[in-house]
Amino acid sequence: MRKKWSSYLVNPLVVGFSLSFIIIFIFTRYLPRYYTELVEKTTINNNGKIAYSDINCDGFSEKLNYYSYDRIFNPTLYVYDSEEKFIDLWNFVEPPVQTSEIYTGDYNEDSLKEVFVFTASKDSIFLNIVSTSKENKLSGSCKFISKLKDQDSITGILSVGLFDLNEYEGKEFLFIINTDGSQLAGRCFLYDIANDQLKEAPKLNVELIQPICVNDINDDNFYEIILSNRSVDDENGAENAQFVILNHKLEFLFQPTVFYGGSSRVECTIVSDGSQKNIIVLNSGTTASNVFNSLKRFDVKGVQKDEVDIHMNDNLSLISLGVSENIWLTNHKKIYKYSTELKKKKGFKINKGIQYHLMQVDNITGDQAKEAVFKNHHNLLILSDQLRNKTKLNISGEGECHITPVYKKNNTNQISIQIGKNWYLFDFYKNEAFFYSSIFYLLIFIIVTFLVFILFRLRLRFLRIKEKVFKINDDELIDDIENNIEEKFSGIKTKIDQISDEFQDDSIQQLIHEIDETYKKVKAFSNKVPDRGIDIRESLENLVKNYQDILNLKYYLFAENDFLEIDTKIKDLVIRFFSSCIDFLSSSSKGNGIVLQIFQHDINLSLLIEIENVFLNHIDLNENVIEDIENFNANFEIDSYSDFGSIVSLTIPLFGSKPVVDKNNSKIKVIIAEDHDVSLFGLVSLLKTKDDIELVGTAKNGMEVLKILESKKTDIVITDISMPGMDGIELSERLKNEYPDIKVIVFTMYMENWFIEQLTKNGAKGFVSKNSKTNELIDAVRNVYEGSNYYCPQFKSKFGFNGNGNGASKKLDSLTKNELKIVELYAENMNRQQISNKMNLNIHTIDIFIANILLKLNAGDEEEVIRIAKKQKFVSE
C-alpha cells in the first residue's frame, strides 16, 4: 500500500515541487520585466533631432522636431501634440550647435515648459528660449552667452537643468560649454531667466563631462554643483584633472583638488550611508597607454577619507545613479558593485563578455530611478532597477545616443531613441505584476504537479502494457513473419504426410487439422495490427482496371497533398461508393462514357460521376453505402436529364481538416518585410487603420523576419522580392520549411515569370502589385487569412491566373463536358441559379461543379474563370 501511495501521490508532489521551484527561479531570473516592441523607425535628414516632452504638463508627451536646413530655410523647431497633430513652429536665426541636445523645463512654474536651444554664429554662441502658451502659440527670446574663437571651437554643450539655486521667483538654467583651447576649456554658466542675468563659474583648465551632480550635500538649503571633468593640456604641457565643487553662487565651495598623473579624468557621484552624504571620486586614465583607477571618498568639506587603487587592465568609468547606497563602476565589459566603504561586493557581465560603451545615464522610464544605457554596433542595452534588470534592443547606427520617455494617451509608455541619423520609437513599459503574485506561483505549482502526475500515470500504464502487449507497427515485418510462418507450417505438414503411412489411426489427420487451426489463429494476428491506411489512388486504379474492358471509363483526382490527411474511414467510403456505382453501371451502360472525379477542397471531399445516356436512381446503389453516407453527414445528389444522362455528386465534410478561426476574438497578425522606408511607412500607416489586423513587426530583409518570429507569432508575412541580405524568394522558402502555418503575400514591382514561379512553388498565397489600390492589399490579407488565394488585377492581366500565363488553355482541356458548359454559361453572365435551371441540375451539384472548376483552373474566383475563358476565346466578348 505504501509503495502504491508513493507511486501515485508522494513522488509526483515531490518532483512537482522541485520542478516548480526551478521554473519559478528561471522566470524571476531571466524573464524580461519590460515589454518592448518597435513601433516606428526612420532616418532623419537635414541634421534633424527628435525629442519628446510634456510641454503643457497634461501628462502626455508632445513631439519636437528640430531641423537645420543647409541653405534656403532657417533652422526650424516643429511642435506636435501627443496625437502627432501639428501645433506650431519657430524659426531660428543662427544654425544650431550640433553637439547640444534640446532641453525642456518649466523655469517659472506656470505649468508650461520652455524649450532651450543653443545656436551659434561664426564667433558667438546664443541661448534661445522658446515659450509655449495655452493657445498653443510659440514665442521666443535669444540671450547672447559668449564670444568664440570660431563656431568649430565648440566641442560640446551639456544642459544640466533648471534649479532653484538662489530662491528667486523662478529657476535658473545651469549649462556647461566646452571649447577648444586651453584658456576656455570648460565653462559653467548659470542663467537667471526671470532677471536676465548670466553668471559664469571660475575658469577651469579642464573639459567638463557627465555626470554633473546637483544636490544639497551639506544640508544648508542651497544646492551644490559637483563637476566631473577630463584633463587638457595647460600652458606648461601638463595634464591634470580636478575635484571641483561649486556652491549656489558658482563659487568654489573649497579649493579644487588637482590630481596629477598624465591624461586622466575625474568622475563624481554621491553616496549616502543613511546618516551622512559622501562624494565618491573615480580618478582614472583616458588612454590605453595610461591605465590606472583610483577610487576615493571625500566628505562634504572636501576632506579625503578613504582611497582604494583598483588594479585592472582597463580604465573604469563611474555610473552615477543619483544619491545611492552603492557605487557602480564599469570597464564596458563588466559592471562592478562597491560599498560606500569602497569595498567590492560583486561583478557581473554586461552581456556575455561583449564590449559595450556607456552612452547615457538618465531617467528614461518615468519611475524616478535612473537607467544606464550601453551600446555596441548592433544592440542597445538598458539596465534598470539598480542595474539588476536588462533590456536588449536590436538597434544599429553610429553617433551620439539620446533617449527620452514618451507618454501616450492610451497609457502605453514609449521611448524615443536617436542614434546619429537613425531614430526609433519603442513601446517600453514595466510588466512584472506576476513576479509578485502568489497566485502565479501557486498556479505554476499546480500545473507542473498535475503534468508530473499525468506523466507518472502514463509511465505506469506504459510499463503494464509493455508487459502484456507486443505491438508491431512495421507492415513489411508483419508480411515477412506471415510468409515465414506459412512456410514453416507447410513444411511440418509435408513431413507429417510422409510418415503418416506408418500409423493406422486418425491421430495424424487430427494433428494436421490442429496445425491448420493454429496457422489460422497465428495469421489472424495481423488483423489486430492498426490500420495500414488506404491509398485512394491505388485502390481506384485497381477498381478501374477491373472494369476497363466493359466500360468506357475515365477518372481524375485533384488534391494538394495526395489525400494523405483524409481519415481512413472516409477513404474507405469513397472506394465503396464508386464500387457500388460501377457495379450497377457495368450491367447497364456498356460503351457509354463515364467520368469519375475526386476533388479535395479545404473543408470537404467532393466526388462527381458523369454518365452518358444512363438514368441512375438512389435505389440502384448499395443500401449499406447509402446508410454510411447518411452517417457521415454527407450531401448526396443524383441528377438525371434527357440531354446527357446522370450526374452523381457526393460531398463529404473533412472534420478537423482546417482550424476554425474565431474572427470576433482574434486579429490577423502581420509582419511586413520592406527595405524602402517610404513604402514601409505607407504600409504601416495603412494596416494600423484596420481593426481586424495587428502589425506584429517590420523588417528590412528576410533575416530580420526570422529574428522576429523567434519571439512572436504571426499569421501572414507581407514581403517584397528584392531586399538586401535575404530576399523574398529565399524568405518564402525558409517560411515554407520552418513555419508552414505562416502564409506569404508578395507585395512587389517585379512581375517576371521566374520570380512568380519560384514564389508560387514556395507556397506564396497572394500577389499584389505596388501599383495596386490600397484596398487590394487589405483584401489580400483577409482572403489569404481565410484560406483563399489572392491575385491583384495587375497580376491577373499579365499572367492569366495563378502566376502562369501559358497554361490556361491546357487547364481548360482538363474540364469535362459539363464543366465546360458551366464555364460557358457563367461567362455569359448567368448566375448559379440560372445555370441550374438551364442545365436542369440541382443547385448543390452546380456548386460542386464550380468549386471543382476553380480547383482545376487554380483560379481565385468566378470572375477569373470568366476572364480566362474570354482570353482563350472560349466564349464571346
Side-chain angles (χ1 to χ4, degrees):
M1 179 63 72
R2 179 179 298 176
K3 184 176 181 180
K4 184 176 181 180
W5 273 99
S6 176
S7 300
Y8 278 89
L9 186 60
V10 178
N11 290 347
L13 284 174
V14 173
V15 175
F17 179 80
S18 303
L19 289 177
S20 299
F21 181 81
I22 295 172
I23 292 173
I24 291 171
F25 173 77
I26 295 173
F27 264 108
T28 56
R29 179 66 177 85
Y30 296 104
L31 196 67
R33 283 173 164 80
Y34 284 88
Y35 172 83
T36 62
E37 182 178 357
L38 179 62
V39 176
E40 189 174 351
K41 175 185 176 182
T42 189
T43 300
I44 305 174
N45 297 315
N46 298 319
N47 300 313
K49 298 178 185 293
I50 294 179
Y52 284 84
S53 179
D54 184 10
I55 294 178
N56 57 11
C57 299
D58 62 350
F60 309 115
S61 299
E62 281 71 42
K63 185 178 182 181
L64 307 176
N65 284 18
Y66 183 29
Y67 293 103
S68 174
Y69 306 98
D70 292 335
R71 296 180 180 177
I72 302 176
F73 304 105
N74 291 332
T76 306
L77 175 69
Y78 299 88
V79 182
Y80 301 85
D81 65 13
S82 58
E83 297 180 350
E84 304 283 343
K85 295 179 181 179
F86 175 73
I87 294 178
D88 202 356
L89 60 83
W90 185 259
N91 292 321
F92 300 96
V93 177
E94 296 84 10
V97 178
Q98 294 300 325
T99 56
S100 66
E101 298 292 344
I102 299 173
Y103 180 82
T104 62
D106 184 8
Y107 80 87
N108 55 6
E109 298 183 351
D110 62 350
S111 298
L112 292 172
K113 290 184 179 180
E114 287 72 39
V115 183
F116 296 81
V117 177
F118 287 94
T119 59
S121 62
K122 293 182 179 180
D123 59 357
S124 300
I125 186 169
F126 303 90
L127 172 61
N128 296 264
I129 302 176
V130 180
S131 302
T132 58
S133 66
K134 294 181 180 180
E135 292 77 21
N136 290 331
K137 295 296 182 181
L138 302 182
S139 60
S141 61
C142 183
K143 174 67 177 178
F144 168 77
I145 300 299
S146 176
K147 279 283 188 181
L148 296 172
K149 182 174 60 177
D150 56 63
Q151 187 179 17
D152 295 335
S153 67
I154 303 174
T155 59
I157 296 181
L158 302 177
S159 297
V160 181
L162 291 168
F163 303 95
D164 187 5
L165 294 177
N166 295 305
E167 296 184 341
Y168 292 149
E169 295 180 357
K171 297 179 180 179
E172 293 82 50
F173 182 50
L174 181 66
F175 58 94
I176 305 295
I177 299 178
N178 286 310
T179 60
D180 287 336
S182 60
Q183 295 182 352
L184 299 175
R187 305 172 68 182
C188 180
F189 292 89
L190 182 66
Y191 180 38
D192 181 0
I193 305 171
N195 298 301
D196 192 22
Q197 294 180 358
L198 183 68
K199 295 182 180 181
E200 181 182 352
K203 293 181 174 60
L204 300 170
N205 191 26
V206 293
E207 178 187 355
L208 299 180
I209 60 174
Q210 292 282 20
I212 306 296
C213 300
V214 181
N215 194 276
D216 182 11
I217 59 176
N218 53 14
D219 298 324
D220 62 352
N221 296 322
F222 290 102
Y223 285 111
E224 283 75 41
I225 305 166
I226 307 172
L227 299 176
S228 299
N229 56 86
R230 183 185 291 115
S231 62
V232 296
D233 290 338
D234 63 11
E235 296 175 353
N236 299 320
E239 296 181 338
N240 304 311
Q242 305 176 37
F243 171 43
V244 183
I245 298 183
L246 305 177
N247 63 16
H248 64 284
K249 296 180 180 180
L250 295 193
E251 300 169 346
F252 291 129
L253 185 65
F254 47 78
Q255 194 63 27
T257 301
V258 179
F259 298 109
Y260 299 95
S263 176
S264 65
R265 65 172 173 262
V266 167
E267 296 172 303
C268 307
T269 189
I270 304 170
V271 295
S272 174
D273 58 6
S275 59
Q276 61 180 354
K277 296 177 182 177
N278 291 276
I279 297 97
I280 300 299
V281 176
L282 173 67
N283 182 212
S284 59
T286 57
T287 64
S289 60
N290 188 32
V291 177
F292 69 94
N293 298 283
S294 179
L295 192 63
K296 310 172 190 290
R297 180 163 62 109
F298 290 82
D299 65 14
V300 296
K301 296 180 180 180
V303 178
Q304 182 174 324
K305 302 175 69 174
D306 298 296
E307 180 178 1
V308 174
D309 288 329
I310 302 174
H311 301 287
M312 194 170 291
N313 295 327
D314 302 298
N315 288 315
L316 297 174
S317 295
L318 183 69
I319 305 175
S320 178
L321 302 178
V323 180
S324 175
E325 296 178 356
N326 298 298
I327 304 166
W328 303 90
L329 307 175
T330 179
N331 64 349
H332 309 292
K333 296 178 183 177
K334 292 184 177 181
I335 293 177
Y336 303 93
K337 181 180 179 181
Y338 283 76
S339 68
T340 55
E341 290 78 22
L342 309 187
K343 295 181 180 179
K344 183 179 178 181
K345 290 185 176 181
K346 65 176 181 179
F348 54 91
K349 293 180 180 180
I350 295 177
N351 190 50
K352 296 182 180 178
I354 301 174
Q355 183 163 343
Y356 281 77
H357 295 285
L358 181 63
M359 304 292 291
Q360 181 178 338
V361 178
D362 203 352
N363 177 16
I364 61 176
T365 60
D367 58 358
Q368 306 305 316
K370 289 187 177 181
E371 286 73 37
V373 180
F374 290 83
K375 187 183 183 303
N376 66 3
H377 294 296
H378 306 290
N379 298 305
L380 196 75
L381 286 180
I382 301 176
L383 275 65
S384 55
D385 293 341
Q386 294 290 306
L387 309 185
R388 290 189 296 267
N389 296 327
K390 184 189 309 178
T391 304
K392 181 188 290 187
L393 302 177
N394 185 14
I395 292 178
S396 59
E398 298 294 335
E400 294 185 5
C401 176
H402 186 63
I403 304 179
T404 54
V406 183
Y407 306 104
K408 294 290 188 178
K409 289 187 177 180
N410 58 4
N411 295 323
T412 300
N413 290 344
Q414 298 176 321
I415 55 173
S416 166
I417 304 175
Q418 183 171 350
I419 300 178
K421 291 186 176 182
N422 294 330
W423 175 76
Y424 307 82
L425 185 64
F426 279 87
D427 281 340
F428 187 90
Y429 55 87
K430 187 173 289 188
N431 182 25
E432 59 176 9
F434 57 87
F435 282 98
Y436 307 104
S437 173
S438 57
I439 297 178
F440 170 72
Y441 299 128
L442 180 61
L443 186 62
I444 288 180
F445 172 71
I446 293 173
I447 293 174
V448 172
T449 304
F450 176 75
L451 292 176
V452 171
F453 177 75
I454 295 298
L455 289 175
F456 268 76
R457 290 294 303 273
L458 291 176
R459 178 177 175 273
L460 292 173
R461 180 171 295 182
F462 172 76
L463 292 175
R464 291 172 183 170
I465 294 175
K466 188 176 180 181
E467 294 174 358
K468 297 179 180 179
V469 179
F470 175 71
K471 186 176 181 180
I472 300 176
N473 292 319
D474 194 325
D475 293 343
E476 294 182 2
L477 177 61
I478 293 174
D479 293 336
D480 289 341
I481 292 174
E482 289 181 350
N483 293 334
N484 290 332
I485 290 174
E486 186 175 5
E487 279 185 37
K488 296 296 183 182
F489 274 69
S490 298
I492 292 172
K493 289 171 64 176
T494 301
K495 290 181 179 180
I496 292 175
D497 285 332
Q498 291 175 356
I499 64 174
S500 61
D501 295 334
E502 301 177 8
F503 297 90
Q504 301 299 322
D505 56 21
D506 60 351
S507 59
I508 297 298
Q509 295 301 321
Q510 181 66 30
L511 178 60
I512 292 175
H513 176 73
E514 291 179 4
I515 291 174
D516 289 336
E517 292 298 318
T518 304
Y519 174 71
K520 291 180 181 179
K521 292 180 180 179
V522 172
K523 191 171 183 179
F525 170 78
S526 62
N527 296 328
K528 298 180 180 180
V529 177
D531 183 18
R532 306 176 193 179
I534 297 174
D535 188 331
I536 286 185
R537 196 176 298 274
E538 181 180 350
S539 300
L540 190 59
E541 286 178 357
N542 294 332
L543 187 63
V544 171
K545 190 182 299 182
N546 293 334
Y547 292 93
Q548 196 68 56
D549 295 335
I550 58 176
L551 293 175
N552 181 15
L553 190 61
K554 297 180 181 179
Y555 72 95
Y556 304 96
L557 295 94
F558 299 90
E560 294 182 0
N561 56 4
D562 207 17
F563 307 99
L564 296 179
E565 297 179 359
I566 298 178
D567 186 87
T568 302
K569 294 180 180 179
I570 295 180
K571 295 179 183 179
D572 177 66
L573 176 62
V574 170
I575 299 302
R576 289 194 295 112
F577 176 75
F578 274 141
S579 178
S580 175
C581 293
I582 293 176
D583 282 342
F584 170 77
L585 296 174
S586 62
S587 60
S588 59
S589 61
K590 295 181 180 180
N592 296 324
I594 302 173
V595 179
L596 310 179
Q597 298 186 90
I598 304 178
F599 299 83
Q600 182 182 348
H601 298 285
D602 289 337
I603 59 174
N604 58 57
L605 191 73
S606 65
L607 298 81
L608 276 175
I609 305 178
E610 299 173 61
I611 311 159
E612 293 181 355
N613 302 323
V614 175
F615 303 103
L616 197 64
N617 200 305
H618 285 72
I619 60 176
D620 299 322
L621 301 180
N622 188 295
E623 294 182 359
N624 294 330
V625 174
I626 299 300
E627 183 178 350
D628 288 344
I629 289 174
E630 294 175 353
N631 292 335
F632 267 90
N633 198 26
N635 195 304
F636 173 48
E637 298 286 348
I638 296 180
D639 291 277
S640 300
Y641 56 102
S642 56
D643 292 342
F644 183 78
S646 299
I647 296 178
V648 182
S649 64
L650 175 65
T651 303
I652 307 174
L654 301 177
F655 298 109
S657 64
K658 280 284 182 179
V660 178
V661 179
D662 187 355
K663 299 180 181 179
N664 296 323
N665 296 326
S666 63
K667 290 187 177 183
I668 308 173
K669 294 179 173 61
V670 175
I671 293 176
I672 301 174
E674 171 61 64
D675 63 323
H676 294 288
D677 291 338
V678 175
S679 297
L680 180 61
F681 177 79
L683 292 176
V684 171
S685 302
L686 174 64
L687 296 182
K688 283 187 175 181
T689 62
K690 308 303 176 185
D691 295 335
D692 60 334
I693 298 175
E694 177 185 349
L695 183 60
V696 173
T698 60
K700 293 283 188 171
N701 55 38
M703 291 303 299
E704 292 185 12
V705 171
L706 297 176
K707 187 68 176 177
I708 294 172
L709 290 175
E710 291 178 1
S711 58
K712 298 179 181 179
K713 294 182 179 179
T714 190
D715 301 308
I716 292 174
V717 171
I718 301 174
T719 181
D720 196 354
I721 293 180
S722 175
M723 295 183 295
M726 182 184 292
D727 60 21
I729 296 175
E730 185 179 354
L731 172 62
S732 64
E733 184 177 8
R734 290 284 298 273
L735 292 176
K736 178 183 177 182
N737 295 331
E738 300 175 18
Y739 300 93
D741 293 335
I742 296 177
K743 299 170 183 177
V744 175
I745 296 176
V746 181
F747 185 64
T748 183
M749 293 290 294
Y750 298 98
M751 305 292 278
E752 283 74 8
N753 286 342
W754 184 86
F755 290 151
I756 304 305
E757 289 175 3
Q758 285 295 113
L759 288 161
T760 304
K761 181 181 178 181
N762 293 342
K765 297 296 184 182
F767 292 87
V768 180
S769 169
K770 288 188 176 180
N771 294 324
S772 301
K773 297 179 181 179
T774 57
N775 65 319
E776 290 285 342
L777 186 60
I778 300 300
D779 291 343
V781 170
R782 290 167 177 163
N783 278 270
V784 169
Y785 179 65
E786 292 175 355
S788 303
N789 293 339
Y790 188 90
Y791 313 103
C792 70
Q794 291 90 334
F795 181 87
K796 292 178 181 179
S797 63
K798 180 172 182 177
F799 293 98
F801 59 93
N802 200 29
N804 188 350
N806 302 319
S809 177
K810 183 178 179 181
K811 290 181 180 292
L812 283 171
D813 292 341
S814 68
L815 301 181
T816 65
K817 187 183 299 184
N818 285 292
E819 290 167 346
L820 289 171
K821 180 66 175 178
I822 291 173
V823 170
E824 180 180 357
L825 296 176
Y826 209 99
E828 291 176 357
N829 300 320
M830 286 190 182
N831 58 36
R832 295 190 176 200
Q833 188 60 56
Q834 290 172 329
I835 295 174
S836 174
N837 297 336
K838 177 74 174 178
M839 297 185 67
N840 195 26
L841 292 177
N842 186 283
I843 187 65
H844 175 72
T845 304
I846 294 296
D847 289 339
I848 294 178
F849 268 122
I850 293 176
N852 296 342
I853 291 169
L854 294 176
L855 181 62
K856 283 186 177 182
L857 298 183
N858 215 350
D861 51 31
E862 290 89 342
E863 292 182 1
E864 189 173 349
V865 174
I866 297 171
R867 190 188 52 73
I868 293 170
K870 290 182 178 180
K871 185 175 181 180
Q872 300 299 319
K873 302 187 183 301
F874 178 68
V875 295
S876 61
E877 295 288 345

